[in-house]
Amino acid sequence: MSDIIAIACVFTFSSFITKPEFEKSDSILLLLLLIGWYFSTKISSTYDDFRTERYIGELLLIFQNVLVQSIIAGQVLFILNRHEYTRRFVFVYILILLIVLIIKNYIIKKILLRYRQKGRNIKNVVFVGYNEITSNLISQIQDNPHYGFKVIGIIAKEEEGYDFGGNTYLGDLQKFLNMNEDYKIDEIIITTEEISNHLMQKIFVLSEKRAIRTKIVPNYITYYPSRLQFKFFGNYPLITFRSEPLQEYHWRLVKRVFDIVFSLFVFVFIFSWLFPIVAILIKLDSKGPVFFRQYRWGKDNKKFKCFKFRSMKPESNDVTEKGTFNQAQMNDPRITKLGQFLRSSSLDELPQFINVLLGDMSIVGPRPHAHEHNIRTKDEVDSYLVRHWIKPGITGWAQVNGYRGETRTIEQMEQRVKYDIWYIENWSLGLDFKIIFMTVYNVIKGEEMAY
C-alpha cells in the first residue's frame, strides 16, 4: 500500500512541476500506472518474501518495476498525443519515483532491523526434524537477524551424540504433542519426511488449536533446490522439479510475437540484399544447391527440415564409414573455401530465420542437432531430451557461453545441456535480448569454436 501511495504522490508532484494543468487524461495515465505496478510486482514476486529478501535484491526489483512504469508512461502519453510533455514528465516522474522508493525501502529495512534487534516483531520458530535442511535454515536465520525469526528449539528423535547444533531440544514429537508447557510459538517448520500421516494430522490439529502456522519443507528439495515449482491441479497441489516460464501461454505468445517481428525486420532490412549476394557467391564457389536442408529435432522431439546456406561440398557425407554421425571439425576437408567464411561468421545459419517464421524454431533457444546426433546422445546424457521442451533457436545460452560447434566429449555435451536447461528454467524476454547482443558481439570478435 505504501508503494501505491508513493506512486500517486510522485505522479501528482511530477505533473505539477512539468505541466501547466492537471487534465482528465492524467487520471487515466495514473490509473494505468497503478495497474501496471500491480501486475509487474505480481509477476516479479516483489512482495512475496519481504522478510528474507536482502536490500540489494529489493533494489533490483525496484529498478525492474520502475522500468515498467517508464514504458507505460511513455507509450500512453505518445498514444494520447502529449508529445510536448512526454520526455520531461517521464524523466521527472521516473527519477523522483526511483529516489522515493529506494529511500523508503531503506528506511523501512533499518527501522525493522532495529525493531527486531530489540526483540520485537519476532517470529518464534520450532523445527520438527533435524537434518541438513534444518541446520541450513537455522544458520540462515542466525546469520540474518533482519529476517525477524528466532529458533525456539528442535523436535526430533533423540539420538546418541546429537547436540542439535547447540539449539534447545524440546523432546520427540510424541512428547511435544502431549506437553503442557505454553511455549510462545508462531511457526512450526517440518523438515523431515519420517512422520506418519496420523502424527502429521496431530501436528495440524495442535497448530490450529494454538493458532500456530505450520509449514513443510520437502526433504527432496536437497536434490532440486532451485527448480521446484508449486502449482494447483484442480484442488490438488503439485510440485514440479523444474520451473518453466514458457509453459505459460502468455509468455509463449510474447516470445512468438517477438520472433515474428524480429525475423520480419531482418528479412526486410538485411536479407533483401544479403541473400542474393550470398547465393551468387555459393554458386560461383562450388557446384550444388544454395541451401542445405537437414532433418533436426525440434520441440517435443518432432523432426523438421532445418535450412542453412550450404558450406560443404555437395558430395559430402554426414555419416562416417563406421556408421557414426560425422560432425564438422577444424580444417574439415568437406568445407568449401566460402563455407569456411560463412561458418566462422555464422552467416550459414541465417536461413534458419525461415524456420522461425514457419514456427519450427525460435530466435533464441537450444541449438537443434542432427537426427543421428540426437539418437546417439540421448542415451549418453541423462537430461539431454529436456532441451526439447521448447523450440530450438538460431542462437542459445550455451553458444554464447562458448559451447558451440563440435562436441568431442560427453562432458562437453553435458555442459551444453546444462546451459540449455538453465535457459529453459530462467527464460525471460530480457534474457533473449542479452543472448542476441552477446551473439552479435561474439560474431564480431570471432569465436574459436566457429568452424
Side-chain angles (χ1 to χ4, degrees), residues 5-46:
I5 294 173
I7 290 172
C9 292
V10 170
F11 180 90
T12 304
F13 179 73
S14 302
S15 298
F16 178 75
I17 64 174
T18 59
K19 290 184 277 190
E21 58 183 8
F22 195 86
E23 301 180 12
K24 290 183 178 179
S25 58
D26 293 328
S27 300
I28 297 173
L29 176 56
L30 176 57
L31 178 62
L32 291 174
L33 288 172
L34 293 175
I35 294 173
W37 182 266
Y38 171 79
F39 282 106
S40 67
T41 54
K42 199 77 173 175
I43 292 171
S44 60
S45 302
T46 302

Short mmCIF file of all heavy atoms in Angstrom, two decimals, residues 5-46:
data_model
loop_
_atom_site.label_atom_id
_atom_site.label_comp_id
_atom_site.label_asym_id
_atom_site.label_seq_id
_atom_site.Cartn_x
_atom_site.Cartn_y
_atom_site.Cartn_z
N ILE A 5 0.71 4.54 -2.61
CA ILE A 5 0.61 5.94 -2.16
C ILE A 5 1.78 6.76 -2.72
O ILE A 5 1.61 7.90 -3.17
CB ILE A 5 0.59 6.01 -0.62
CG1 ILE A 5 -0.69 5.35 -0.09
CG2 ILE A 5 0.68 7.45 -0.14
CD1 ILE A 5 -0.73 5.21 1.42
N ALA A 6 2.98 6.16 -2.71
CA ALA A 6 4.17 6.84 -3.22
C ALA A 6 4.02 7.16 -4.70
O ALA A 6 4.36 8.27 -5.15
CB ALA A 6 5.41 5.99 -2.98
N ILE A 7 3.49 6.20 -5.48
CA ILE A 7 3.29 6.41 -6.92
C ILE A 7 2.32 7.56 -7.16
O ILE A 7 2.56 8.44 -8.00
CB ILE A 7 2.78 5.12 -7.59
CG1 ILE A 7 3.89 4.07 -7.61
CG2 ILE A 7 2.28 5.39 -9.01
CD1 ILE A 7 3.44 2.70 -8.08
N ALA A 8 1.20 7.56 -6.43
CA ALA A 8 0.19 8.61 -6.59
C ALA A 8 0.75 9.99 -6.24
O ALA A 8 0.53 10.97 -6.96
CB ALA A 8 -1.03 8.30 -5.73
N CYS A 9 1.51 10.06 -5.15
CA CYS A 9 2.08 11.35 -4.71
C CYS A 9 3.13 11.84 -5.69
O CYS A 9 3.16 13.02 -6.06
CB CYS A 9 2.67 11.21 -3.32
SG CYS A 9 1.45 10.93 -2.01
N VAL A 10 4.02 10.93 -6.13
CA VAL A 10 5.08 11.31 -7.06
C VAL A 10 4.48 11.73 -8.40
O VAL A 10 4.93 12.69 -9.03
CB VAL A 10 6.07 10.14 -7.26
CG1 VAL A 10 7.03 10.44 -8.40
CG2 VAL A 10 6.85 9.89 -5.97
N PHE A 11 3.45 11.01 -8.85
CA PHE A 11 2.78 11.35 -10.11
C PHE A 11 2.19 12.76 -10.04
O PHE A 11 2.37 13.58 -10.96
CB PHE A 11 1.68 10.34 -10.41
CG PHE A 11 0.92 10.60 -11.69
CD1 PHE A 11 1.36 10.05 -12.87
CD2 PHE A 11 -0.20 11.41 -11.69
CE1 PHE A 11 0.68 10.31 -14.06
CE2 PHE A 11 -0.89 11.67 -12.86
CZ PHE A 11 -0.44 11.12 -14.06
N THR A 12 1.49 13.05 -8.95
CA THR A 12 0.87 14.38 -8.78
C THR A 12 1.92 15.48 -8.75
O THR A 12 1.77 16.51 -9.41
CB THR A 12 0.05 14.41 -7.48
OG1 THR A 12 -0.92 13.35 -7.50
CG2 THR A 12 -0.67 15.74 -7.33
N PHE A 13 2.98 15.26 -7.99
CA PHE A 13 4.06 16.27 -7.89
C PHE A 13 4.74 16.47 -9.25
O PHE A 13 5.00 17.62 -9.65
CB PHE A 13 5.08 15.82 -6.85
CG PHE A 13 6.23 16.76 -6.69
CD1 PHE A 13 6.07 17.98 -6.05
CD2 PHE A 13 7.48 16.44 -7.20
CE1 PHE A 13 7.14 18.87 -5.92
CE2 PHE A 13 8.55 17.31 -7.07
CZ PHE A 13 8.38 18.53 -6.42
N SER A 14 5.02 15.37 -9.96
CA SER A 14 5.69 15.46 -11.27
C SER A 14 4.81 16.19 -12.27
O SER A 14 5.32 16.96 -13.10
CB SER A 14 6.03 14.04 -11.78
OG SER A 14 6.86 13.36 -10.88
N SER A 15 3.51 15.92 -12.23
CA SER A 15 2.57 16.61 -13.13
C SER A 15 2.56 18.11 -12.84
O SER A 15 2.53 18.94 -13.74
CB SER A 15 1.17 16.03 -12.98
OG SER A 15 1.13 14.68 -13.33
N PHE A 16 2.60 18.45 -11.56
CA PHE A 16 2.53 19.85 -11.12
C PHE A 16 3.72 20.66 -11.61
O PHE A 16 3.57 21.83 -12.02
CB PHE A 16 2.44 19.90 -9.59
CG PHE A 16 2.40 21.30 -9.04
CD1 PHE A 16 1.25 22.08 -9.12
CD2 PHE A 16 3.53 21.85 -8.44
CE1 PHE A 16 1.24 23.38 -8.61
CE2 PHE A 16 3.53 23.14 -7.94
CZ PHE A 16 2.36 23.91 -8.02
N ILE A 17 4.91 20.06 -11.60
CA ILE A 17 6.11 20.82 -11.95
C ILE A 17 6.48 20.74 -13.43
O ILE A 17 7.37 21.46 -13.89
CB ILE A 17 7.33 20.39 -11.10
CG1 ILE A 17 7.70 18.93 -11.39
CG2 ILE A 17 7.06 20.60 -9.63
CD1 ILE A 17 8.96 18.49 -10.70
N THR A 18 5.82 19.85 -14.20
CA THR A 18 6.18 19.71 -15.61
C THR A 18 5.07 20.10 -16.57
O THR A 18 5.33 20.28 -17.77
CB THR A 18 6.59 18.25 -15.93
OG1 THR A 18 5.49 17.37 -15.63
CG2 THR A 18 7.80 17.84 -15.14
N LYS A 19 3.82 20.25 -16.07
CA LYS A 19 2.70 20.57 -16.95
C LYS A 19 1.90 21.74 -16.38
O LYS A 19 1.82 21.90 -15.16
CB LYS A 19 1.80 19.34 -17.12
CG LYS A 19 2.46 18.23 -17.93
CD LYS A 19 1.53 17.07 -18.16
CE LYS A 19 1.56 16.16 -16.96
NZ LYS A 19 0.85 14.87 -17.23
N PRO A 20 1.29 22.53 -17.25
CA PRO A 20 0.57 23.72 -16.77
C PRO A 20 -0.66 23.41 -15.96
O PRO A 20 -1.01 24.14 -15.05
CB PRO A 20 0.21 24.45 -18.08
CG PRO A 20 0.23 23.38 -19.13
CD PRO A 20 1.29 22.42 -18.71
N GLU A 21 -1.34 22.31 -16.28
CA GLU A 21 -2.57 21.98 -15.54
C GLU A 21 -2.83 20.47 -15.59
O GLU A 21 -2.33 19.76 -16.45
CB GLU A 21 -3.76 22.73 -16.12
CG GLU A 21 -4.01 22.44 -17.60
CD GLU A 21 -5.17 23.25 -18.15
OE1 GLU A 21 -5.69 24.14 -17.44
OE2 GLU A 21 -5.57 22.98 -19.29
N PHE A 22 -3.61 20.02 -14.61
CA PHE A 22 -3.95 18.60 -14.49
C PHE A 22 -5.19 18.34 -15.35
O PHE A 22 -6.22 18.99 -15.18
CB PHE A 22 -4.24 18.25 -13.02
CG PHE A 22 -4.24 16.78 -12.75
CD1 PHE A 22 -3.06 16.12 -12.45
CD2 PHE A 22 -5.42 16.04 -12.80
CE1 PHE A 22 -3.04 14.76 -12.18
CE2 PHE A 22 -5.41 14.68 -12.55
CZ PHE A 22 -4.22 14.04 -12.23
N GLU A 23 -5.10 17.39 -16.29
CA GLU A 23 -6.20 17.09 -17.19
C GLU A 23 -6.79 15.72 -16.90
O GLU A 23 -6.21 14.91 -16.16
CB GLU A 23 -5.70 17.15 -18.65
CG GLU A 23 -5.13 18.50 -19.03
CD GLU A 23 -4.66 18.53 -20.47
OE1 GLU A 23 -4.98 17.58 -21.22
OE2 GLU A 23 -3.99 19.50 -20.85
N LYS A 24 -7.94 15.44 -17.53
CA LYS A 24 -8.61 14.15 -17.33
C LYS A 24 -7.74 12.99 -17.80
O LYS A 24 -7.75 11.91 -17.21
CB LYS A 24 -9.95 14.13 -18.07
CG LYS A 24 -11.02 15.02 -17.47
CD LYS A 24 -12.33 14.88 -18.23
CE LYS A 24 -13.41 15.75 -17.60
NZ LYS A 24 -14.70 15.63 -18.34
N SER A 25 -7.02 13.22 -18.88
CA SER A 25 -6.15 12.16 -19.41
C SER A 25 -5.07 11.76 -18.40
O SER A 25 -4.57 10.64 -18.41
CB SER A 25 -5.50 12.61 -20.71
OG SER A 25 -4.75 13.80 -20.52
N ASP A 26 -4.71 12.70 -17.51
CA ASP A 26 -3.71 12.39 -16.48
C ASP A 26 -4.26 11.36 -15.49
O ASP A 26 -3.51 10.53 -14.97
CB ASP A 26 -3.31 13.66 -15.73
CG ASP A 26 -2.54 14.62 -16.63
OD1 ASP A 26 -1.84 14.14 -17.52
OD2 ASP A 26 -2.67 15.84 -16.43
N SER A 27 -5.55 11.42 -15.23
CA SER A 27 -6.18 10.44 -14.34
C SER A 27 -6.13 9.06 -14.95
O SER A 27 -5.91 8.05 -14.26
CB SER A 27 -7.64 10.84 -14.06
OG SER A 27 -7.70 12.11 -13.45
N ILE A 28 -6.33 8.99 -16.28
CA ILE A 28 -6.25 7.70 -16.99
C ILE A 28 -4.84 7.14 -16.90
O ILE A 28 -4.63 5.96 -16.63
CB ILE A 28 -6.67 7.88 -18.46
CG1 ILE A 28 -8.13 8.34 -18.56
CG2 ILE A 28 -6.47 6.58 -19.24
CD1 ILE A 28 -8.56 8.70 -19.96
N LEU A 29 -3.85 8.03 -17.11
CA LEU A 29 -2.44 7.59 -17.04
C LEU A 29 -2.10 7.09 -15.65
O LEU A 29 -1.45 6.04 -15.50
CB LEU A 29 -1.53 8.76 -17.41
CG LEU A 29 -0.01 8.49 -17.29
CD1 LEU A 29 0.39 7.27 -18.11
CD2 LEU A 29 0.78 9.72 -17.70
N LEU A 30 -2.53 7.80 -14.61
CA LEU A 30 -2.26 7.37 -13.24
C LEU A 30 -2.88 6.01 -12.96
O LEU A 30 -2.24 5.14 -12.35
CB LEU A 30 -2.79 8.40 -12.25
CG LEU A 30 -2.66 8.04 -10.75
CD1 LEU A 30 -1.20 7.78 -10.40
CD2 LEU A 30 -3.24 9.14 -9.88
N LEU A 31 -4.11 5.81 -13.43
CA LEU A 31 -4.78 4.52 -13.23
C LEU A 31 -4.00 3.40 -13.92
O LEU A 31 -3.80 2.32 -13.34
CB LEU A 31 -6.21 4.59 -13.77
CG LEU A 31 -7.03 3.29 -13.69
CD1 LEU A 31 -7.19 2.86 -12.23
CD2 LEU A 31 -8.38 3.45 -14.37
N LEU A 32 -3.55 3.65 -15.14
CA LEU A 32 -2.78 2.63 -15.88
C LEU A 32 -1.44 2.36 -15.21
O LEU A 32 -0.96 1.22 -15.19
CB LEU A 32 -2.56 3.09 -17.32
CG LEU A 32 -3.81 3.14 -18.20
CD1 LEU A 32 -3.50 3.76 -19.56
CD2 LEU A 32 -4.39 1.73 -18.38
N LEU A 33 -0.83 3.39 -14.64
CA LEU A 33 0.44 3.20 -13.93
C LEU A 33 0.25 2.35 -12.68
O LEU A 33 1.10 1.49 -12.36
CB LEU A 33 1.05 4.56 -13.56
CG LEU A 33 1.62 5.39 -14.71
CD1 LEU A 33 1.99 6.77 -14.24
CD2 LEU A 33 2.83 4.69 -15.33
N LEU A 34 -0.84 2.57 -11.97
CA LEU A 34 -1.13 1.78 -10.76
C LEU A 34 -1.43 0.33 -11.13
O LEU A 34 -0.97 -0.60 -10.45
CB LEU A 34 -2.31 2.39 -10.00
CG LEU A 34 -2.07 3.77 -9.37
CD1 LEU A 34 -3.36 4.30 -8.75
CD2 LEU A 34 -0.97 3.70 -8.32
N ILE A 35 -2.19 0.13 -12.22
CA ILE A 35 -2.48 -1.23 -12.70
C ILE A 35 -1.19 -1.91 -13.14
O ILE A 35 -0.94 -3.08 -12.84
CB ILE A 35 -3.51 -1.20 -13.85
CG1 ILE A 35 -4.87 -0.72 -13.34
CG2 ILE A 35 -3.65 -2.59 -14.48
CD1 ILE A 35 -5.89 -0.50 -14.44
N GLY A 36 -0.35 -1.15 -13.86
CA GLY A 36 0.94 -1.69 -14.31
C GLY A 36 1.82 -2.09 -13.15
O GLY A 36 2.50 -3.11 -13.19
N TRP A 37 1.81 -1.25 -12.09
CA TRP A 37 2.61 -1.57 -10.90
C TRP A 37 2.11 -2.86 -10.24
O TRP A 37 2.91 -3.70 -9.83
CB TRP A 37 2.54 -0.42 -9.90
CG TRP A 37 3.37 -0.65 -8.67
CD1 TRP A 37 2.95 -1.18 -7.48
CD2 TRP A 37 4.77 -0.41 -8.52
NE1 TRP A 37 3.99 -1.26 -6.59
CE2 TRP A 37 5.12 -0.79 -7.21
CE3 TRP A 37 5.75 0.12 -9.36
CZ2 TRP A 37 6.43 -0.67 -6.74
CZ3 TRP A 37 7.05 0.24 -8.90
CH2 TRP A 37 7.37 -0.16 -7.60
N TYR A 38 0.80 -3.01 -10.18
CA TYR A 38 0.22 -4.21 -9.56
C TYR A 38 0.68 -5.47 -10.30
O TYR A 38 1.15 -6.43 -9.68
CB TYR A 38 -1.31 -4.14 -9.58
CG TYR A 38 -1.98 -5.44 -9.16
CD1 TYR A 38 -2.09 -5.80 -7.83
CD2 TYR A 38 -2.47 -6.32 -10.12
CE1 TYR A 38 -2.67 -6.99 -7.44
CE2 TYR A 38 -3.06 -7.52 -9.75
CZ TYR A 38 -3.17 -7.85 -8.42
OH TYR A 38 -3.74 -9.04 -8.06
N PHE A 39 0.57 -5.45 -11.63
CA PHE A 39 0.91 -6.65 -12.40
C PHE A 39 2.41 -6.89 -12.46
O PHE A 39 2.87 -8.05 -12.40
CB PHE A 39 0.33 -6.56 -13.82
CG PHE A 39 -1.14 -6.86 -13.88
CD1 PHE A 39 -2.06 -5.85 -14.07
CD2 PHE A 39 -1.59 -8.16 -13.73
CE1 PHE A 39 -3.42 -6.12 -14.12
CE2 PHE A 39 -2.96 -8.45 -13.78
CZ PHE A 39 -3.87 -7.43 -13.97
N SER A 40 3.22 -5.83 -12.57
CA SER A 40 4.67 -6.03 -12.63
C SER A 40 5.22 -6.56 -11.31
O SER A 40 6.11 -7.40 -11.29
CB SER A 40 5.37 -4.71 -13.01
OG SER A 40 5.24 -3.74 -11.99
N THR A 41 4.67 -6.07 -10.18
CA THR A 41 5.11 -6.58 -8.88
C THR A 41 4.61 -8.00 -8.65
O THR A 41 5.23 -8.80 -7.96
CB THR A 41 4.62 -5.67 -7.73
OG1 THR A 41 3.20 -5.49 -7.83
CG2 THR A 41 5.31 -4.32 -7.79
N LYS A 42 3.44 -8.31 -9.24
CA LYS A 42 2.89 -9.66 -9.12
C LYS A 42 3.76 -10.65 -9.88
O LYS A 42 4.11 -11.72 -9.37
CB LYS A 42 1.47 -9.68 -9.67
CG LYS A 42 0.62 -10.85 -9.21
CD LYS A 42 0.13 -10.65 -7.80
CE LYS A 42 -0.86 -11.74 -7.40
NZ LYS A 42 -1.25 -11.62 -5.98
N ILE A 43 4.12 -10.29 -11.11
CA ILE A 43 4.93 -11.17 -11.95
C ILE A 43 6.33 -11.35 -11.36
O ILE A 43 6.89 -12.45 -11.39
CB ILE A 43 5.02 -10.60 -13.38
CG1 ILE A 43 3.64 -10.68 -14.06
CG2 ILE A 43 6.05 -11.36 -14.21
CD1 ILE A 43 3.57 -9.95 -15.39
N SER A 44 6.90 -10.27 -10.82
CA SER A 44 8.26 -10.35 -10.27
C SER A 44 8.30 -10.81 -8.82
O SER A 44 9.37 -10.89 -8.22
CB SER A 44 8.94 -8.98 -10.37
OG SER A 44 8.22 -8.00 -9.64
N SER A 45 7.11 -11.12 -8.23
CA SER A 45 7.02 -11.60 -6.84
C SER A 45 7.68 -10.62 -5.87
O SER A 45 8.38 -11.02 -4.94
CB SER A 45 7.64 -12.99 -6.70
OG SER A 45 7.01 -13.91 -7.57
N THR A 46 7.48 -9.33 -6.10
CA THR A 46 8.13 -8.29 -5.29
C THR A 46 7.78 -8.38 -3.82
O THR A 46 8.63 -8.17 -2.95
CB THR A 46 7.74 -6.89 -5.82
OG1 THR A 46 8.12 -6.79 -7.19
CG2 THR A 46 8.42 -5.80 -5.02
#
